Amino acid sequence: VTSSFNILVLHGPNLNLLGLREPEIYGSTTLAEIDTMLARVAGSLECQVSCFQSNHEGALLDAIHGARGDCQGILINAGAYTHTSLALRDGLVGVGLPVVEVHLSNLYKREVFRHHSHIAPIALGQISGFGAESYRLGLQALIHHLRETSAGSAGMAG
Ligand code: DQA
Protein backbone atom coordinates (compact mmCIF):
# COMPACT_ATOMS: atom_id res chain seq x y z
CA VAL A 1 0.00 0.00 0.00
CA THR A 2 1.44 3.38 -1.03
CA SER A 3 0.74 6.29 1.30
CA SER A 4 -0.99 9.30 -0.17
CA PHE A 5 0.00 12.73 1.05
CA ASN A 6 -1.48 16.17 0.66
CA ILE A 7 1.17 18.84 0.19
CA LEU A 8 0.59 22.56 0.66
CA VAL A 9 2.49 24.51 -2.02
CA LEU A 10 3.02 28.16 -1.08
CA HIS A 11 4.19 30.90 -3.42
CA GLY A 12 5.09 34.26 -1.91
CA PRO A 13 5.06 37.83 -3.20
CA ASN A 14 5.55 38.69 -6.87
CA LEU A 15 5.46 35.07 -7.97
CA ASN A 16 2.07 35.76 -9.59
CA LEU A 17 4.11 37.72 -12.15
CA LEU A 18 6.16 34.69 -13.23
CA GLY A 19 6.63 34.60 -16.98
CA LEU A 20 6.55 38.40 -17.17
CA ARG A 21 8.87 39.31 -14.33
CA GLU A 22 12.62 39.40 -15.07
CA PRO A 23 12.42 36.31 -17.34
CA GLU A 24 16.22 36.27 -17.66
CA ILE A 25 16.33 35.45 -13.93
CA TYR A 26 13.06 33.62 -13.30
CA GLY A 27 12.34 32.03 -16.69
CA SER A 28 9.29 32.16 -18.92
CA THR A 29 7.18 29.53 -17.17
CA THR A 30 4.05 30.96 -15.55
CA LEU A 31 2.85 30.17 -12.05
CA ALA A 32 -0.21 28.41 -13.47
CA GLU A 33 2.10 26.17 -15.51
CA ILE A 34 4.14 25.37 -12.40
CA ASP A 35 1.01 24.50 -10.42
CA THR A 36 -0.24 22.27 -13.25
CA MET A 37 3.14 20.51 -13.44
CA LEU A 38 3.17 19.99 -9.64
CA ALA A 39 -0.33 18.51 -9.68
CA ARG A 40 0.79 16.08 -12.39
CA VAL A 41 3.97 15.11 -10.52
CA ALA A 42 2.03 14.66 -7.27
CA GLY A 43 -0.61 12.59 -9.07
CA SER A 44 2.03 10.30 -10.54
CA LEU A 45 3.18 9.67 -6.94
CA GLU A 46 -0.41 9.15 -5.74
CA CYS A 47 -0.33 12.42 -3.80
CA GLN A 48 -2.11 15.77 -4.07
CA VAL A 49 -1.01 19.39 -3.98
CA SER A 50 -2.95 22.44 -2.79
CA CYS A 51 -1.32 25.50 -4.35
CA PHE A 52 -1.68 29.04 -3.01
CA GLN A 53 0.00 32.33 -3.92
CA SER A 54 -0.23 35.58 -2.02
CA ASN A 55 1.52 38.92 -1.94
CA HIS A 56 0.51 39.26 1.72
CA GLU A 57 2.56 37.86 4.55
CA GLY A 58 -0.47 37.39 6.81
CA ALA A 59 -2.37 35.47 4.12
CA LEU A 60 0.60 33.13 3.68
CA LEU A 61 0.74 32.69 7.44
CA ASP A 62 -2.99 31.86 7.58
CA ALA A 63 -2.44 29.24 4.86
CA ILE A 64 0.40 27.71 6.91
CA HIS A 65 -1.86 27.52 9.96
CA GLY A 66 -4.62 26.03 7.81
CA ALA A 67 -2.32 23.20 6.74
CA ARG A 68 -2.49 21.71 10.23
CA GLY A 69 -4.56 18.59 10.02
CA ASP A 70 -5.13 18.85 6.26
CA CYS A 71 -1.58 18.52 4.93
CA GLN A 72 1.44 16.39 5.72
CA GLY A 73 4.11 18.71 4.33
CA ILE A 74 4.77 22.19 2.96
CA LEU A 75 6.70 23.16 -0.19
CA ILE A 76 7.44 26.89 -0.07
CA ASN A 77 8.94 29.58 -2.24
CA ALA A 78 8.51 32.54 0.08
CA GLY A 79 9.99 34.99 -2.46
CA ALA A 80 11.49 38.03 -0.75
CA TYR A 81 9.86 37.03 2.57
CA THR A 82 12.49 34.29 2.64
CA HIS A 83 14.99 36.95 3.59
CA THR A 84 12.82 39.00 5.96
CA SER A 85 10.04 37.05 7.61
CA LEU A 86 10.43 35.71 11.11
CA ALA A 87 6.63 35.34 11.21
CA LEU A 88 6.60 32.80 8.36
CA ARG A 89 9.49 30.93 9.89
CA ASP A 90 7.81 30.81 13.31
CA GLY A 91 4.53 29.72 11.71
CA LEU A 92 6.24 26.90 9.84
CA VAL A 93 7.86 25.73 13.07
CA GLY A 94 4.55 26.20 14.88
CA VAL A 95 2.56 23.80 12.71
CA GLY A 96 5.33 21.23 12.94
CA LEU A 97 5.07 19.97 9.36
CA PRO A 98 8.14 19.08 7.28
CA VAL A 99 9.13 21.97 5.00
CA VAL A 100 11.10 22.05 1.76
CA GLU A 101 12.26 25.47 0.57
CA VAL A 102 12.59 26.16 -3.15
CA HIS A 103 13.78 29.06 -5.30
CA LEU A 104 13.78 29.47 -9.05
CA SER A 105 17.05 31.42 -9.06
CA ASN A 106 20.32 30.45 -7.38
CA LEU A 107 20.26 32.75 -4.33
CA TYR A 108 24.02 32.43 -3.81
CA LYS A 109 24.86 33.75 -7.28
CA ARG A 110 22.87 36.91 -6.58
CA GLU A 111 22.95 39.93 -4.25
CA VAL A 112 24.27 39.35 -0.75
CA PHE A 113 20.89 40.25 0.77
CA ARG A 114 19.48 37.10 -0.85
CA HIS A 115 22.10 34.84 0.68
CA HIS A 116 20.38 34.62 4.03
CA SER A 117 17.17 32.64 4.44
CA HIS A 118 15.15 32.63 7.66
CA ILE A 119 13.48 29.44 6.45
CA ALA A 120 16.55 27.36 5.56
CA PRO A 121 17.49 26.52 9.20
CA ILE A 122 14.05 25.03 9.87
CA ALA A 123 13.60 23.29 6.48
CA LEU A 124 14.52 19.72 5.59
CA GLY A 125 16.47 21.26 2.74
CA GLN A 126 16.60 23.94 0.10
CA ILE A 127 16.63 23.68 -3.70
CA SER A 128 17.71 26.84 -5.49
CA GLY A 129 18.69 27.65 -9.05
CA PHE A 130 16.86 25.22 -11.34
CA GLY A 131 13.95 27.41 -12.40
CA ALA A 132 10.60 25.61 -12.39
CA GLU A 133 12.54 22.36 -11.94
CA SER A 134 13.37 23.48 -8.38
CA TYR A 135 9.71 22.96 -7.51
CA ARG A 136 9.57 19.50 -9.08
CA LEU A 137 12.75 18.42 -7.30
CA GLY A 138 11.51 19.87 -4.02
CA LEU A 139 8.16 18.12 -4.27
CA GLN A 140 9.80 14.79 -5.05
CA ALA A 141 12.19 15.22 -2.11
CA LEU A 142 9.35 16.09 0.26
CA ILE A 143 7.21 13.12 -0.79
CA HIS A 144 10.25 10.85 -0.57
CA HIS A 145 10.87 12.09 2.99
CA LEU A 146 7.22 11.56 3.97
CA ARG A 147 7.32 8.02 2.56
CA GLU A 148 10.51 7.23 4.46
CA THR A 149 9.25 8.60 7.75
CA SER A 150 5.83 6.96 7.52
CA ALA A 151 7.27 3.57 6.51
CA GLY A 152 6.18 0.99 9.05
CA SER A 153 3.25 3.12 10.19
CA ALA A 154 -0.17 2.83 8.64
CA GLY A 155 0.44 5.92 6.52
CA MET A 156 -2.32 8.28 5.46
CA ALA A 157 -5.66 7.14 4.14
CA GLY A 158 -6.22 7.35 0.43
C1 DQA B 1 13.05 33.87 -5.30
C2 DQA B 1 14.34 34.58 -4.86
C3 DQA B 1 14.03 35.74 -3.94
O1 DQA B 1 15.24 36.38 -3.53
C4 DQA B 1 13.17 36.76 -4.66
O2 DQA B 1 12.81 37.79 -3.78
C5 DQA B 1 11.96 36.15 -5.27
C6 DQA B 1 12.09 34.85 -5.95
C7 DQA B 1 13.31 32.77 -6.34
O3 DQA B 1 12.43 31.92 -6.51
O4 DQA B 1 14.37 32.74 -6.98
O5 DQA B 1 10.88 36.74 -5.28
O6 DQA B 1 12.44 33.28 -4.17
Side-chain angles (χ1 to χ4, degrees):
V1 181
T2 316
S3 301
S4 175
F5 300 106
N6 195 16
I7 309 297
L8 177 65
V9 177
L10 283 182
H11 308 285
N14 299 306
L15 293 168
N16 53 312
L17 298 178
L18 273 186
L20 301 170
R21 170 195 188 206
E22 301 177 89
E24 63 290 353
I25 295 177
Y26 297 117
S28 56
T29 309
T30 66
L31 195 62
E33 288 167 342
I34 289 177
D35 286 348
T36 300
M37 175 272 285
L38 292 175
R40 191 164 35 75
V41 171
S44 73
L45 297 169
E46 295 173 49
C47 294
Q48 300 89 45
V49 286
S50 307
C51 301
F52 178 70
Q53 187 275 334
S54 181
N55 295 321
H56 303 271
E57 191 174 15
L60 293 164
L61 190 50
D62 288 344
I64 291 168
H65 291 182
R68 263 184 86 222
D70 289 346
C71 296
Q72 290 73 48
I74 300 178
L75 183 72
I76 184 167
N77 181 354
Y81 289 143
T82 304
H83 318 298
T84 63
S85 181
L86 293 173
L88 292 184
R89 172 201 171 117
D90 284 354
L92 291 166
V93 173
V95 297
L97 294 173
V99 173
V100 171
E101 175 184 2
V102 299
H103 299 282
L104 296 142
S105 63
N106 179 346
L107 299 181
Y108 307 97
K109 266 204 317 214
R110 302 186 62 198
E111 303 95 328
V112 170
F113 62 80
R114 296 186 204 276
H115 294 185
H116 180 262
S117 165
H118 284 301
I119 294 170
I122 60 93
L124 292 171
Q126 183 197 67
I127 298 172
S128 167
F130 297 97
E133 274 296 298
S134 292
Y135 283 91
R136 182 205 302 273
L137 294 165
L139 181 64
Q140 288 170 337
L142 182 53
I143 291 171
H144 181 80
H145 168 85
L146 291 169
R147 293 247 155 92
E148 294 277 297
T149 54
S150 71
S153 79
M156 304 308 297

